Amino acid sequence: RTVLQELGFPDANADTLAKRFRDARMPNRAAWFRRLAPLSWKMYSRASELALPGMFRYLDARVRFFDGAVERALNAGVDQHLFLAAGYDTRAVRMATSEAAARLTAAKMRRQQKGGSGNGSGRGARASVASGGGDSAKFLGRAFVKGSAAATAAAAAVTSSPSSFTSPFAPRFFEVDLPHVSAAKRELVDSVLPDAERWPRPAFVGADLLDAAGALRALEAAGFDASASRPCLATLEGILMYLPPRSAREILRTVSTLLTPGSLLAFDFVVEECFATGGVGYEGASRGADGATTSSPPPAPSATAKTCPATDSSTYEIVDVPKEAEIAFPTYGLVASSVAHHGEPFRSGFEHAPERHAALAASLGFKVQELLDAPKVVETFFSGKKCTGPVSDYMAMALWEKL
């Protein structure tokens, strides 16, 4: 996610902490990068783009999609945010700022003026999240044209100087990951960002998302309010495609049990057509007429097949990409082969056709608010400009609302 920043793309994402986290975790690589002359660095990055066509644009747009979901939720007064299987992502630290608190304050003031509870609940807040919030300064300035003096002052403060705005509200961010990953993340944050006042910490929650009851207990122990009056935003970024199909769906079921009606779930996925006949990392799963996943034997090993360990007792064969996928998604084969070579193959995908995707969401207790393929997301977040080069057209992003 740092490549387009370092190449000087004007519309690159604003994740200024990712490079610091990366360098702390991989100091030798960071030193090597620093020794590269600017021209050499650009040549290296261009070569990487050829090896992984479209991946950098997709990753950059993905950051901005999920950042936007958080901003929109804050603008709607949603004060609880779940970052699930976040790994070493920076969002829960990077976005827990005074500007975020100012957005939340502004939203709660709006709701109080309209007679709402001010706690982020209710249809008004949910509709605002689904319909989008836009740029914070412009959005807040518009929203308070007819507001009270206090609300107008809050809007003016965040518009003119969001970093210095003092808010009575603060969003509650929860990062949920496996216990050892959560502990390592906490150590990394404390090492890279020792100033906890400037960089407020999320609640680091060690839990297995395949254990819904255990995850809920761990979250509630960390202060999460699971009552029906407190909808929240949950995100699953860059995780589901690396899980076996059964595990990926089970995590979505867990999320469904954690969320109250009106809550939102944002996630990204590989389209299932890439696995229709056994793609890279195929687990041997097929779908019945009702869309459910059923087990079937894996494809017979080929002479050139490789295997990699799975998260359960199965093994995953790296087989040829289906011809249908090669035709429909020209950039998929190279990227899928590359991630498989590094031990993290794509293992599952989800329905992308609107009707089937809606059926999937309904089966898990959600309805679809947004469904975007990666090219559309890239076009949106690069100011509508046409990007040169390929885009990871086999990826998609979704925003669901809990029913």
Side-chain angles (χ1 to χ4, degrees):
R1 68 173 57 186
T2 65
V3 169
L4 296 190
Q5 295 176 14
E6 292 173 301
L7 285 175
F9 274 55
D11 292 324
N13 72 79
D15 186 352
T16 58
L17 297 182
K19 184 177 178 180
R20 296 170 67 177
F21 279 26
R22 179 200 69 191
D23 291 352
R25 293 185 59 235
M26 298 179 288
N28 292 334
R29 181 180 177 183
W32 181 71
F33 279 156
R34 284 193 295 269
R35 286 196 298 269
L36 283 177
L39 180 59
S40 299
W41 163 246
K42 289 190 176 184
M43 291 175 63
Y44 170 83
S45 300
R46 296 300 185 191
S48 299
E49 175 70 11
L50 291 175
L52 299 172
M55 181 56 72
F56 295 145
R57 289 175 180 80
Y58 164 70
L59 291 175
D60 197 281
R62 186 177 77 179
V63 171
R64 300 175 71 177
F65 173 82
F66 284 98
D67 282 359
V70 174
E71 291 170 356
R72 291 160 63 178
L74 291 169
N75 287 341
V78 175
D79 56 4
Q80 292 193 124
H81 297 246
L82 299 180
F83 301 95
L84 306 175
Y88 293 103
D89 181 74
T90 70
R91 188 169 291 109
V93 178
R94 174 169 50 89
M95 299 192 74
T97 61
S98 56
E99 181 179 355
R103 292 180 183 184
L104 194 58
T105 299
K108 289 180 181 293
M109 286 180 175
R110 287 198 301 275
R111 287 191 52 72
Q112 289 169 354
Q113 290 169 9
K114 294 178 181 178
S117 63
N119 67 354
S121 63
R123 181 66 200 171
R126 296 196 290 272
S128 296
V129 179
S131 62
D135 174 78
S136 62
K138 295 178 181 177
F139 175 76
L140 291 175
R142 269 202 315 274
F144 281 99
V145 170
K146 298 181 180 180
S148 67
T152 303
V158 69
T159 301
S160 61
S161 184
S163 62
S164 63
F165 181 80
T166 301
S167 170
F169 300 103
R172 294 296 312 277
F173 287 172
F174 300 84
E175 271 203 6
V176 185
D177 218 321
L178 293 172
H180 70 281
V181 177
S182 183
K185 175 67 169 294
R186 185 196 301 265
E187 292 179 4
L188 176 68
V189 172
D190 288 342
S191 172
V192 176
L193 304 171
D195 187 349
E197 183 175 351
R198 179 181 178 187
W199 302 104
R201 293 348 187 201
F204 293 101
V205 181
D208 185 351
L209 288 173
L210 293 177
D211 176 8
L216 180 57
R217 286 195 301 270
L219 274 166
E220 289 181 328
F224 179 71
D225 184 355
S227 63
S229 64
R230 291 289 290 275
C232 69
L233 169 71
T235 65
L236 280 164
E237 179 185 4
I239 182 65
L240 294 176
M241 65 283 293
Y242 298 107
L243 300 175
R246 287 187 294 273
S247 297
R249 288 187 176 234
E250 190 59 35
I251 282 183
L252 290 180
R253 291 189 186 95
T254 294
V255 176
S256 183
T257 65
L258 295 177
L259 301 185
T260 58
S263 296
L264 293 178
L265 168 64
F267 66 98
D268 62 325
F269 61 96
V270 173
V271 300
E272 72 161 355
E273 288 85 348
C274 294
F275 301 89
T277 58
V280 173
Y282 180 72
E283 192 201 13
S286 60
R287 304 194 188 285
D290 59 353
T293 302
T294 58
S295 297
S296 62
S302 63
T304 59
K306 300 179 181 178
T307 59
C308 60
T311 54
D312 54 23
S313 58
S314 306
T315 58
Y316 297 82
E317 185 189 1
I318 299 173
V319 297
D320 291 338
V321 176
K323 289 185 178 179
E324 298 90 341
E326 288 183 331
I327 295 172
F329 311 105
T331 67
Y332 174 73
L334 282 174
V335 175
S337 298
S338 177
V339 296
H341 177 74
H342 288 87
E344 295 186 339
F346 294 145
R347 289 170 172 153
S348 61
F350 289 101
E351 294 84 351
H352 182 244
E355 298 81 5
R356 296 187 64 193
H357 192 84
L360 168 67
S363 72
L364 295 166
F366 292 90
K367 69 177 179 179
V368 179
Q369 290 284 4
E370 291 182 2
L371 179 61
L372 302 170
D373 59 25
K376 178 62 176 177
V377 175
V378 169
E379 179 185 353
T380 298
F381 287 109
F382 279 85
S383 304
K385 299 173 184 176
K386 183 174 180 177
C387 297
T388 59
V391 176
S392 300
D393 49 5
Y394 49 88
M395 296 284 193
M397 302 179 193
L399 185 68
W400 290 359
E401 180 183 343
K402 184 69 168 66
L403 298 175

